[in-house]
C-alpha cells in the first residue's frame, strides 16, 4: 500500500500500480527540491587497478531532503523519469559534472583526472534540447569534450532513429559514450554495433563472487567466463572497460588478471564529496 510520509512524499510498496495523481505530487516535490537546490553530486573514483591511481570519477546524484535526510537515487530517479523531471534534473547533473571536472582539470592539469561521467537517462535523449544542453555544458565550463563520458544504461529504449541520431551528434562533438551495467540487458551485443560506444562497464553482478574458485580450473565460475568474454570482446572492438562493484582486494586482483585495467567499487573508493576527490588529486599530484 501507499504510505504518506513527511513533506507529501508518496512511497510505493512493490507491485502497486502508480496513480497519475501521486506521480504529479512526486513530480511537484522533485521540482520544488530542484528549485531549492536540494540535489547535489557525489563522485566515485575510477581507479587504475595496477597502479591504484584515480583516473576518473562517476558523478552520482543525491537528494538532501530537509526532513528525510539523504535520499538515494534508487528512490527518486524512477519517479523523476516517469514525471519528466529527469530532464531538468539531468541537465543540472550534466552541468555540475562539467563544471566540477573543469575545475579539477584547471587545478591539477590534464594528466591528473582523465574523465568524468554523469549518468544519463534514456528519457533525456528524447528531449529535443539534449544535444544543445551538452554543447552548452561543455562551452560554459570549458571542459574539453573528450573528458566527458555519458553513462547510458542499456535498454531496449536505446534503439530508435531519434536516439541514435542524438548519440551520433554527441559523439561527433567528441564526447564519449559508456554502456552502463553491461551484460544485464537483453541486447548488449547488438547495442555495441548500434551506437558509437567507447567504453563498457561490466555490471557488478558479474563481479560479485568472481574471487571464488580457482582460475583456469573446472571451478572457474560462469561469472569469470562472462567477465573474460566481455573484456576480450571490448579489446577486439577497441573499447575501454571498467569493472563495477569491486568490494574486496581479491576481486580487484582477479579482474586485473582477467584484463581489466580500471575498476570502481567500495573497496577502491566510495562515492564521496567533491572536496574529498580534490584531496585525493592533491595527494596524487605530490607523488
Ligand atoms: P549506477 O549508475 O550503476 O551506479 C553505481 C551504483 O552502485 C551507485 O549507487 C554506487 O554508489 C553503487 N556502488 C558503487 N560501488 C559499489 C560497491 O562496491 N558495492 C555496492 N553494493 N554498490 C556500489 P547509487 O549512487 O545509489 O546510484 C544508483 C543508481 O541510480 C545508479 O546506478 C544510476 O543508475 C542511478 N543514478 C545515480 N545518479 C544518477 C543521475 O544523476 N542520473 C540518472 N539518470 N541516474 C542516476
Ligand atoms: Ca553509472
Ligand atoms: Ca552501473
Ligand atoms: Ca546500476
Amino acid at each position: 500500500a501507499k504510505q504518506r510520509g513527511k513533506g507529501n512524499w508518496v512511497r510505493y510498496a512493490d507491485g502497486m500500480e502508480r496513480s497519475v495523481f501521486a506521480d504529479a505530487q512526486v513530480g511537484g516535490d522533485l521540482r520544488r527540491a530542484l528549485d531549492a537546490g536540494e540535489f547535489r553530486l557525489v563522485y566515485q573514483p575510477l581507479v587504475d587497478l595496477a597502479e591504484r591511481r584515480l583516473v576518473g570519477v562517476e558523478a552520482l546524484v543525491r537528494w538532501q531532503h530537509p526532513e528525510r535526510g539523504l535520499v538515494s537515487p534508487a528512490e527518486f530517479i524512477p519517479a523523476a523519469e516517469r514525471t519528466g523531471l529527469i530532464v531538468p534534473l539531468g541537465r543540472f547533473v550534466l552541468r555540475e559534472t562539467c563544471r566540477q571536472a573543469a575545475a579539477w582539470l584547471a587545478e591539477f592539469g590534464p594528466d591528473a583526472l582523465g574523465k568524468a561521467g554523469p549518468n544519463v537517462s534514456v528519457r533525456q535523449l528524447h528531449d529535443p534540447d539534449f544535444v544543445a544542453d551538452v554543447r552548452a555544458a561543455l562551452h560554459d565550463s570549458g571542459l574539453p569534450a573528450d573528458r566527458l563520458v555519458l553513462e547510458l544504461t542499456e535498454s531496449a529504449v536505446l534503439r530508435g532513429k531519434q536516439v541514435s541520431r542524438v548519440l551520433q551528434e554527441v559523439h561527433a562533438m567528441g564526447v564519449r559514450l559508456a554502456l552502463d551495467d553491461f551484460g544485464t540487458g537483453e541486447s548488449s551485443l547488438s547495442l555495441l554495433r548500434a551506437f558509437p560506444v567507447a567504453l563498457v562497464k561490466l555490471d557488478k553482478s558479474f563481479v560479485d563472487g568472481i574471487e571464488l574458485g580457482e582460475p583456469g580450473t573446472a571451478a572457474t565460475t560462469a561469472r569469470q567466463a562472462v567477465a573474460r568474454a566481455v573484456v576480450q570482446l571490448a579489446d577486439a572492438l577497441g573499447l575501454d572497460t571498467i569493472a563495477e562493484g569491486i568490494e574486496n582486494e581479491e576481486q580487484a586482483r582477479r579482474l586485473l588478471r582477467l584484463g581489466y585495467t580500471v575498476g570502481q567499487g567500495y573497496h577502491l573508493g566510495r562515492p564521496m564529496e567533491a572536496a574529498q576527490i580534490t584531496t585525493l588529486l592533491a595527494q596524487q599530484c605530490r607523488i
Side-chain angles (χ1 to χ4, degrees):
K2 169 176 81 176
Q3 50 192 84
R4 202 81 180 272
K6 292 177 187 171
N8 286 334
W9 180 259
V10 180
R11 200 181 219 174
Y12 297 97
D14 271 349
M16 181 179 162
E17 85 279 13
R18 304 158 192 130
S19 86
V20 174
F21 170 73
D23 263 0
Q25 200 170 34
V26 174
D29 207 19
L30 289 168
R31 177 80 249 178
R32 180 202 56 75
L34 188 59
D35 293 341
E38 291 173 11
F39 292 103
R40 60 191 178 80
L41 300 185
V42 290
Y43 299 87
Q44 187 172 27
L46 309 178
V47 176
D48 182 299
L49 288 173
E51 298 175 11
R52 300 301 162 102
R53 293 179 79 249
L54 184 71
V55 294
V57 290
E58 175 174 4
L60 296 158
V61 72
R62 298 288 181 263
W63 181 2
Q64 189 70 61
H65 192 283
E67 289 147 28
R68 301 178 67 223
L70 208 57
V71 183
S72 140
E75 287 193 56
F76 62 87
I77 292 288
E81 288 174 339
R82 286 198 304 274
T83 57
L85 242 294
I86 193 69
V87 170
L89 176 59
R91 191 179 294 129
F92 161 76
V93 168
L94 177 69
R95 294 190 72 86
E96 183 59 14
T97 304
C98 289
R99 188 198 61 73
Q100 182 61 70
W104 281 323
L105 205 59
E107 187 170 357
F108 299 104
D111 297 329
L113 184 78
K115 289 168 183 51
N119 292 281
V120 172
S121 292
V122 168
R123 177 86 185 241
Q124 292 174 258
L125 302 178
H126 289 283
D127 176 56
D129 294 331
F130 182 74
V131 173
D133 285 345
V134 173
R135 193 172 281 120
L138 291 170
H139 177 269
D140 295 350
S141 64
L143 185 72
D146 64 357
R147 300 280 170 165
L148 182 64
V149 183
L150 303 181
E151 296 199 3
L152 307 162
T153 305
E154 42 177 343
S155 123
V157 210
L158 274 181
R159 299 166 184 290
K161 266 208 183 103
Q162 155 76 3
V163 164
S164 149
R165 189 183 53 75
V166 164
L167 294 176
Q168 288 295 345
E169 280 185 52
V170 171
H171 172 71
M173 270 182 234
V175 172
R176 295 160 151 257
L177 302 174
L179 259 191
D180 207 350
D181 304 344
F182 191 76
T184 57
E186 288 168 18
S187 50
S188 312
L189 298 181
S190 58
L191 277 176
L192 288 182
R193 268 194 330 183
F195 75 92
V197 49
L199 188 159
V200 297
K201 298 188 78 172
L202 179 72
D203 191 66
K204 179 180 186 304
S205 57
F206 302 109
V207 171
D208 287 339
I210 200 167
E211 74 278 25
L212 309 171
E214 289 303 309
T217 69
T220 301
T221 63
R223 285 178 185 124
Q224 288 169 349
V226 172
R228 185 182 294 111
V230 167
V231 79
Q232 283 171 351
L233 177 71
D235 282 349
L237 296 175
L239 310 177
D240 290 332
T241 53
I242 296 178
E244 285 194 287
I246 298 176
E247 293 185 340
N248 60 55
E249 182 58 25
E250 189 47 34
Q251 288 172 348
R253 290 212 191 116
R254 192 62 64 93
L255 287 159
L256 181 62
R257 249 181 280 139
L258 285 172
Y260 289 84
T261 54
V262 180
Q264 176 180 5
Y266 292 169
H267 177 64
L268 302 166
R270 296 220 167 217
M272 55 184 84
E273 304 293 329
Q276 292 172 275
I277 296 287
T278 305
T279 303
L280 284 179
L281 287 170
Q283 284 166 354
Q284 219 161 260
C285 282
R286 262 187 266 114
I287 297 169

